[in-house]
């Protein structure tokens, strides 16, 4: 029994990876599921679809190495910070769903209402609560769908529901609770019950086992049931670890050996549909506009921050999806083709290419450093052009904006969080886009660290499974034993002046957008006055 199975559930697909105890990937497979958008700002799934995709991915993965299926010693799940709603009767969500996707923004007004309370909990989410967390969504549901709320029996983070289906055990991971709920692990009474009571949702902690003590990442959640063993293709009775959010798994997969010595200087960056930046610290630090600090979110006794971009890879998808000159629908092949074409143009034209195209890339709010889920993107340089050049400029301007905002986030973490970040460890789908890799290398002001693994998120989840399997006593030991080799990429000095100039433009636009947003919100409160006798 010397192998590990890791299952990662992302925004649109489930992936399974088979690893040996040294962290080498032996097989990998994926299966997709459907994201449903029943209304604007609503995004939901059907849990059965997700579970079936996870099972298909696991079986396909193990079919590549059938001789190893019986030697799996443990498994673990990671998943997006989506929330499963267990209810009696029909599905509780519009569109026939029972899982609210992480990117669902139905609770923007509810998040602002939580902000208005001034509760001390806000000091652990950067000063302003994101509508992507669980409380605003559930508060919206209780108020707008009371008949569905009355039928709810439980609410679980997606990784916890996956582990429940694998084991039959209903437990919660402290990772999800600390990062996405009004739950402060460092407090004697972790739930912010007074806040929930004030908002009229005090019954939340009575749902299922939410009120019980959660498990730490890597502990044994339970063992695989007979039914799940058949569905997943794994041995019955093997341990399933207490799981974690996918971004945290990606961070674990790229931290590298001897991470404790580099903790204050290395920034894990998990970049895919969205982007998460996840530094860790031994002490409690509060940073305005940055989620956290979260105690015990991954390493027991340590604190974690999470900065991010809500839509990053999705923003590049949108350029391919909507620009009139796009060569087709978004795909890995077309992203690679477009990136390589732009790199060729940059070699010829240099900084002159797209010099007037600039973006503040907040298409679905700003996670950091502003911490405002209601703001939106600002774009300059638009004209009537619809040809290939316009398409390529739009793609490049979007990619550059993501890199420049990364630089802003690094500077913010260093200035306000006592970090000394000088290196970024990249994980996720952006690794496969050579334009993004070059921009992250040259435009962020930090060295770029690349890990020698093509599946860092799955690797991080395998490290968690290794602890539950008894291979290692804790996550730090698992990390040191299974971490991949790494290489550091230095910035190309020829581009420094151009990227510095572009960054100054970005910062100016960022300030202007914020001023306009504030003025626009004030404008929204002004009612037109009708003159007497005029209808």
């Amino acid at each position: 029994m010397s192998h590990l199975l890791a299952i990662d559930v992302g925004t649109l697909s489930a992936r399974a990876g088979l690893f040996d105890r040294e962290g080498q990937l032996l097989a990998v497979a994926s299966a997709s599921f459907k994201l449903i958008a029943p209304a604007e700002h609503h995004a939901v799934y059907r849990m059965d679809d997700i579970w079936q995709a996870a099972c298909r991915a696991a079986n396909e993965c193990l079919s590549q190495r059938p001789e190893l299926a019986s030697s799996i010693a443990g498994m673990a799940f990671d998943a997006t910070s989506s929330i499963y709603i267990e209810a009696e009767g029909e599905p509780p969500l519009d569109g026939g769903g029972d899982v609210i996707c992480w990117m669902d923004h139905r609770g923007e007004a509810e998040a602002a209402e939580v902000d208005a309370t001034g509760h001390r909990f806000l000091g652990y989410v950067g000063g302003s609560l994101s509508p992507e967390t669980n409380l605003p969504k559930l508060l919206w549901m209780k108020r707008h769908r009371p008949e569905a709320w009355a039928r709810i029996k439980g609410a679980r983070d997606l990784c916890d529901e996956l582990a429940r289906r694998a084991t039959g055990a209903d437990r919660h991971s402290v990772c999800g609770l600390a990062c996405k709920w009004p739950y402060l692990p460092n407090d004697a009474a972790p739930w912010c019950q007074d806040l929930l009571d004030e908002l009229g949702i005090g019954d939340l902690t009575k749902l299922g086992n939410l009120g019980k003590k959660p498990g730490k990442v890597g502990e044994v959640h339970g063992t695989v049931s007979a039914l799940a063993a058949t569905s997943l293709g794994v041995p019955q009775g093997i341990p399933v670890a207490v799981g974690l959010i996918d971004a945290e798994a990606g961070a674990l997969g790229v931290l590298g050996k001897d991470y404790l010595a580099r903790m204050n200087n290395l920034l894990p960056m998990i970049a895919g549909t969205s982007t998460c930046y996840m530094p860790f610290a031994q002490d409690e630090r509060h940073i305005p506009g940055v989620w956290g600090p979260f105690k015990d979110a991954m390493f027991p006794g340590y604190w974690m921050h999470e900065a991010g971009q809500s839509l990053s890879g999705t923003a590049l998808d949108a350029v391919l999806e909507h620009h009139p000159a796009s060569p087709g629908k978004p795909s890995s092949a077309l992203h690679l083709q477009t990136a390589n074409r732009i790199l060729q143009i940059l070699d010829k034209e240099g900084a002159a290419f797209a010099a007037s195209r600039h973006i503040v890339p907040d298409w679905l709010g700003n996670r950091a450093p502003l911490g405002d889920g209601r703001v939106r993107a600002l774009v300059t340089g638009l004209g009537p052009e619809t040809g290939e050049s316009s398409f390529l400029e739009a793609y490049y301007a979007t990619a550059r904006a993501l890199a420049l905002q990364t630089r802003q986030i690094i500077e913010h973490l260093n200035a306000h969080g006592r970090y000394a970040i000088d290196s970024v460890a990249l994980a996720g789908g952006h690794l496969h886009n050579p334009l993004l890799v070059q921009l992250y290398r040259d435009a962020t002001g930090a060295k770029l660290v690349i890990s020698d693994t093509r599946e860092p998120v799955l690797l991080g989840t395998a490290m968690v499974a290794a602890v539950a399997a008894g291979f290692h006593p804790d996550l730090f030991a698992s990390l040191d034993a299974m971490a991949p080799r790494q290489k550091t990429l230095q910035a190309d000095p020829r581009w420094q002046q151009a990227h510095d100039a572009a960054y100054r433009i970005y910062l100016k636009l960022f300030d202007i957008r914020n001023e306009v947003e504030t003025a626009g919100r004030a404008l929204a409160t002004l009612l037109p006055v009708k003159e007497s006798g005029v209808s």
Side-chain angles (χ1 to χ4, degrees):
M1 305 290 285
S2 59
H3 294 91
L4 302 160
L5 183 67
I7 297 180
D8 160 52
V9 174
T11 303
L12 295 172
S13 66
R15 298 180 305 138
L18 179 65
F19 291 83
D20 65 20
R21 62 191 304 157
E22 285 76 40
Q24 295 301 309
L25 180 64
L26 305 176
V28 65
S30 66
S32 63
F33 49 81
K34 186 178 181 181
L35 175 63
I36 305 164
E40 189 173 18
H41 298 313
H42 290 219
V44 304
Y45 305 104
R46 298 184 180 96
M47 187 64 215
D48 285 347
D49 293 347
I50 295 175
W51 176 247
Q52 288 164 13
C55 292
R56 291 198 309 273
N59 279 278
E60 171 61 25
C61 173
L62 296 175
S63 72
Q64 298 170 30
R65 298 296 299 271
E67 76 280 7
L68 300 180
S70 62
S71 67
I72 296 174
M75 64 179 296
F77 295 92
D78 75 76
T80 63
S81 52
S82 302
I83 179 173
Y84 168 68
I85 311 294
E86 182 182 11
E88 295 178 343
E90 63 185 21
L93 302 174
D94 295 349
D98 53 7
V99 178
I100 304 178
C101 176
W102 66 267
M103 68 170 69
D104 185 292
H105 263 235
R106 72 182 69 197
E108 288 187 1
E110 286 73 18
E113 181 183 348
V114 176
D115 290 351
T117 67
H119 193 276
R120 63 181 288 266
F121 163 63
L122 296 170
Y124 292 86
V125 292
S128 179
L129 187 63
S130 168
E132 294 173 17
T133 58
N134 293 336
L135 178 57
K137 298 169 184 175
L138 294 173
L139 192 57
W140 184 97
M141 190 174 177
K142 180 166 187 177
R143 292 175 175 175
H144 295 271
R145 299 292 186 270
E147 72 291 343
W149 181 263
R151 296 187 287 108
I152 294 178
K153 299 167 56 180
R156 302 180 194 93
D157 289 292
L158 184 51
C159 67
D160 297 332
E161 175 60 16
L162 289 161
R164 188 192 73 83
R165 293 199 175 204
T167 64
D170 184 5
R171 298 187 66 192
H172 291 269
S173 169
V174 70
C175 179
L177 291 185
C179 297
K180 304 300 175 184
W181 301 78
Y183 184 92
L184 304 176
N186 205 44
D187 285 10
W191 280 103
C192 300
Q193 191 64 46
D194 57 336
L195 172 64
L196 298 176
D197 291 341
E198 180 180 348
L199 295 168
I201 195 170
D203 54 340
L204 176 64
T205 53
K206 297 180 175 63
L207 296 178
N209 288 334
L210 272 174
K212 295 185 178 180
K213 184 178 180 180
K216 292 183 172 63
V217 175
E219 289 181 351
V220 176
H221 181 110
T223 58
V224 172
S225 68
L227 178 61
T230 301
S231 299
L232 292 164
V234 301
Q236 180 181 350
I238 63 170
V240 176
V242 172
L244 70 172
I245 298 170
D246 57 348
E248 279 80 342
L252 188 58
V254 296
L255 291 178
K257 297 181 186 296
D258 302 318
Y259 172 62
L260 277 170
R262 302 180 295 146
M263 181 176 286
N264 207 50
N265 308 104
L266 181 68
L267 178 65
M269 174 180 171
I270 301 84
T273 303
S274 61
T275 298
C276 297
Y277 310 83
M278 314 188 77
F280 293 84
Q282 292 179 306
D283 57 327
E284 181 177 346
R285 309 174 187 182
H286 294 262
I287 306 176
V290 175
W291 300 349
F294 304 125
K295 180 77 175 294
D296 299 335
M298 190 159 71
F299 300 115
Y302 288 78
W303 299 80
M304 185 190 83
H305 286 102
E306 181 178 348
Q309 297 167 328
S310 292
L311 298 181
S312 54
T314 302
L316 292 172
D317 283 345
V319 180
L320 281 168
E321 181 78 38
H322 299 299
H323 198 282
S326 168
K329 297 292 184 181
S331 68
S332 298
L334 282 183
H335 278 296
L336 182 60
Q337 174 185 311
T338 303
N340 284 329
R341 176 75 178 110
I342 291 171
L343 289 172
Q344 292 172 355
I345 295 173
L346 291 173
D347 284 341
K348 294 179 180 179
E349 298 185 19
F353 180 66
S356 64
R357 300 288 292 268
H358 299 276
I359 298 175
V360 179
D362 296 332
W363 288 275
L364 194 60
N366 178 276
R367 288 192 194 174
L370 189 62
D372 189 335
R374 293 177 293 169
V375 299
R376 290 299 184 263
L378 179 66
V379 182
T380 73
L382 292 181
E385 298 84 3
T386 59
E388 182 192 25
S389 179
S390 171
F391 161 70
L392 294 173
E393 287 185 355
Y395 192 99
Y396 177 64
T398 302
R400 180 174 59 187
L402 297 174
L404 295 176
Q405 190 168 78
T406 297
R407 176 174 173 176
Q408 183 188 28
I409 289 169
I410 292 170
E411 292 180 355
H412 187 75
L413 291 169
N414 287 342
H416 298 278
R418 303 196 308 279
Y419 288 105
I421 295 164
D422 59 16
S423 301
V424 172
L426 180 61
H430 294 199
L431 276 168
H432 307 298
N433 186 312
L435 175 62
L436 285 173
V437 170
Q438 180 168 303
L439 285 166
Y440 293 142
R441 182 196 70 188
D442 295 343
T444 64
K447 293 172 286 188
L448 185 64
V449 178
I450 304 294
S451 297
D452 185 18
T453 175
R454 57 192 182 96
E455 296 290 352
V457 177
L458 285 171
L459 174 58
T461 305
M463 292 176 183
V464 173
V467 177
F471 290 174
H472 307 291
D474 56 45
L475 282 177
F476 284 122
S478 189
L479 172 60
D480 277 341
M482 299 175 67
R485 294 186 301 273
Q486 294 182 318
K487 63 179 179 180
T488 300
L489 306 182
Q490 303 289 343
D492 183 345
R494 296 175 300 174
W495 277 95
Q496 180 176 344
Q497 188 175 4
H499 288 315
D500 285 349
Y503 185 53
R504 289 191 293 271
I505 294 171
Y506 164 82
L507 291 176
K508 183 176 293 187
L509 291 175
F510 184 82
D511 289 340
I512 291 171
R513 189 282 309 276
N514 296 342
E515 292 176 10
V516 171
E517 180 70 25
T518 300
R521 291 177 188 177
L523 173 63
T525 66
L526 303 178
L527 294 176
V529 179
K530 294 181 179 180
E531 297 180 9
S532 178
V534 178
S535 59

